[in-house]
Every structure is written in structure tokens, then in C-alpha cells.
Amino acid sequence: MRDLHKMLILVGLALAACGVYLFQDLNGSFDYALPRRGVKVFAMVLTGVAIAYATVVFQTISHNRILTPSIMGLDSLYMMLQTLLIFFLGSDHITIVNKQVNFLLSIAVMVIFALLFYQLLFKKNERPIYFLLLVGIICGTFFGSISTFLQVLIDPNEFSIIQDRMFASFNNVNEDLVWTSLVFITLLIAFAWKQNSSLDVLTLGRDTAINLGVNYDALVKQMLVLSAVLIAIATALVGPITFFGLIVANLSYQFFTSYKHSVLLTGSIVISVVALVGGQWVVERIFTFNTTLSVIINFIGGVYFIYLLLKESRSK
């Protein structure tokens, strides 16, 4: 089957999933239920676009299909920030109560961290990409340890608020945040889409890419910052989803035969929409909200991650 036919099938599945989620059992509640379902679907689409794009680009830069942008510690930084705000300022502070303020503050902190992180590590051009990833793992572990320590000391009533933010949820997405995220993500994707041909060359390796005229170091820095910003927006919008990018990116690699990023990125985005909307339908209709979508994704993603590790070890 050609890639075009596969893409059309995936688009059809995505539209079908969105249609079923939006219109099933409305029972005439078009004025009340439909707008709220529409906001949730829109949030899922934006989250899928941001995570899928960031993961594919990040794996292209690192030349590793097991790594994801979460290895930089952004998820752990988000949880540490939420824990620090509630621990020192309380759950009734404006940075917690006002979702717009919390959203913008979370994005700002994660983006500033990513920029400082890259600026320090890329000060000398001889720093390899794997050194950056190693430091990212250390930072993520450090942030996680601080969060765990403070959560042990915090008031149990306020800990329940932190616990709600540990897992991604689409049930209480703020509509204003969705529109703000749309503006940010659209601008970032519009800027980055022009680099698809350069990313195609980047897959050939550093030396080959440089010989073919790609400004390798500048492109890597731009794409790393782009990945960090997209993950920051998705995490601040709905919460951390650790393994989701790993799943959709690798499914796209296996499903499509093309090496072109225009195909792989589009495919991973459509797969992410199918997975998120379909998964949310399963959570609401089958599990009746007894679990969250991120728990299911992280479980499946963890199993898939182990499978990829075993597959990688056998191929050597």
C-alpha cells in the first residue's frame, strides 16, 4: 500500500474518532454538550500536534528512536514548579487558582530553563548531543527528587491538588488556554515546517549533512529549542504524558516507508489524534472515568519502550 493511501486511511480514522466522540449520545444537548466536547477534542488535537512534532524532530537530531524530549527533564520541571508553588504559596494563590497565569508561568519557566540549558552546554561546539542528554537525565532526576521530598512534607489536602496535576487530563481544559496554545503552536509549526528538507538531510549524519550544505549546529540548536517549547506548551495545557511521543513517532516510522519528514511528521500527528481522541472515548465510555488517559498511555508506552529496547539489543 502506498504512503498516500495509508495517510488517507489514518485521516479517515481520525475524522471518524472525532465525529463519534463529538456526536455520540448528545440527545439534543447541542448548546451545552457539543461546545464542551469540541474544546476537549481541540485540546487533544493541539496536544497531539505538539508532542508528535517535537518527538520526531528530537529523535532526528539525536539519531535515536527511543529517546523523547521528556529526557531533558521538562516533565519533572513542570511537576517541581507546581509543587513549589503550592508548598510555599498555598493552593489559594493566584498562580494556582488562575489557570491562565499558571499556564503562562509554566511555559515561561520551562522555556527559560531549556534556553539556559542549551546556552551553557552549547557554549563550546565540541559538546556532543549525548552529553546534553546525559545532563538532561540528571536534571530530571534532581527535579523529581525535590518534588517527591516536598510532597512528603506538604499538607494532605494540598497534596491532592498536586496529585491531579501529575497526570494529563482533558476533562477540565480551559477554553482560553486552548486558543492561546493554538496561536503559539501554529506559529512554531509554520516556522519549523520550512526546515523539513534540512531534517531529511540531517538523518544522514553530521558529516554528510555539513558536506551537503546544512548548517548543522545552528539547525540542531533551533530544533532543540523548538522541541522544548512545544513540549512545554503541551505539558502546561494538559499535564505530562511521558511515553506518548515515543508511541506515535515509532508507529509512524513503521507505518510509512518514506524517509521524508513531511510524511513522517504528518503521519505521527494524525496517529496522535486517533490515539488521543479514541483513548479518551475509551476512558469515558468503557472505564467510566475510573482512570485517566495518561495512565493508559504510560502503561502501553512503557511496555512498548521495553519492546523497543529488546528489539534494539537483538539487532546488535
Side-chain angles (χ1 to χ4, degrees):
M1 189 184 297
R2 295 175 58 188
D3 285 343
L4 177 60
H5 297 154
K6 295 177 183 178
M7 190 71 74
L8 291 175
I9 291 173
L10 284 176
V11 171
L13 287 174
L15 292 175
C18 293
V20 170
Y21 186 85
L22 285 171
F23 297 107
Q24 185 181 11
D25 295 335
L26 272 180
N27 298 324
S29 302
F30 288 95
D31 294 334
Y32 177 78
L34 188 60
R36 285 160 179 76
R37 291 185 185 182
V39 170
K40 289 167 71 173
V41 169
F42 206 22
M44 285 185 268
V45 171
L46 289 175
T47 303
V49 170
I51 294 178
Y53 196 98
T55 303
V56 173
V57 169
F58 188 83
Q59 291 180 348
T60 298
I61 294 169
S62 62
H63 299 287
N64 191 313
R65 294 187 175 183
I66 296 178
L67 298 177
T68 64
S70 61
I71 201 171
M72 293 184 291
L74 292 178
D75 292 351
S76 300
L77 177 62
Y78 171 78
M79 281 311 307
M80 186 187 74
L81 174 64
Q82 302 303 316
T83 304
L84 287 172
L85 290 175
I86 293 176
F87 186 84
F88 289 106
L89 301 179
S91 58
D92 56 348
H93 194 265
I94 188 172
T95 55
I96 299 297
V97 176
N98 191 311
K99 290 188 176 181
Q100 285 93 341
V101 173
N102 186 274
F103 175 76
L104 294 174
L105 179 62
S106 299
I107 291 177
V109 169
M110 286 187 280
V111 171
I112 290 172
F113 165 75
L115 292 175
L116 291 175
F117 185 69
Y118 298 145
Q119 185 65 29
L120 290 173
L121 292 179
F122 280 121
K123 221 166 188 180
K124 295 181 180 179
N125 290 329
E126 65 268 13
R127 298 290 194 191
I129 185 71
Y130 288 105
F131 179 79
L132 180 145
L133 299 177
L134 177 62
V135 176
I137 294 173
I138 294 171
C139 290
T141 305
F142 175 67
F143 297 149
S145 299
I146 293 176
S147 301
T148 303
F149 175 71
L150 294 178
Q151 288 164 14
V152 171
L153 302 177
I154 207 167
D155 180 82
N157 295 322
E158 295 192 326
F159 175 73
S160 62
I161 299 175
I162 298 176
Q163 200 170 27
D164 290 338
R165 301 186 182 217
M166 289 180 180
F167 308 101
S169 175
F170 296 93
N171 297 324
N172 297 310
V173 178
N174 187 288
E175 185 174 354
D176 293 334
L177 300 185
V178 172
W179 296 117
T180 305
S181 301
L182 173 64
V183 174
F184 288 152
I185 292 174
T186 302
L187 292 175
L188 290 169
I189 298 296
F191 165 76
W193 201 263
K194 301 174 184 177
Q195 305 293 341
N196 282 347
S197 58
S198 297
L199 290 173
D200 295 339
V201 178
L202 213 64
T203 57
L204 300 174
R206 176 189 173 91
D207 294 336
T208 306
I210 293 174
N211 288 334
L212 291 174
V214 174
N215 189 345
Y216 183 88
D217 292 330
L219 182 62
V220 166
K221 292 176 185 177
Q222 287 178 6
M223 293 298 104
L224 281 173
V225 172
L226 176 79
S227 299
V229 175
L230 286 173
I231 292 297
I233 293 172
T235 304
L237 180 63
V238 299
I241 313 179
T242 305
F243 288 109
F244 183 66
L246 177 77
I247 298 172
V248 297
N250 280 277
L251 286 177
S252 180
Y253 300 144
Q254 294 182 7
F255 199 58
F256 297 101
T257 58
S258 176
Y259 68 90
K260 292 186 176 180
H261 279 73
S262 56
V263 175
L264 296 175
L265 288 167
T266 305
S268 63
I269 288 170
V270 179
I271 291 172
S272 69
V273 173
V274 175
L276 287 177
V277 178
Q280 186 66 23
W281 182 88
V282 170
V283 167
E284 295 183 11
R285 301 290 175 172
I286 297 179
F287 291 104
T288 60
F289 293 102
N290 288 323
T291 186
T292 61
L293 179 58
S294 63
V295 172
I296 297 174
I297 290 173
N298 287 338
F299 172 74
I300 297 174
V303 174
Y304 190 54
F305 179 70
I306 295 172
Y307 163 75
L308 290 175
L309 287 176
L310 293 174
K311 181 181 176 183
E312 188 79 12
S313 63
R314 287 173 183 172
S315 64
K316 292 181 179 179

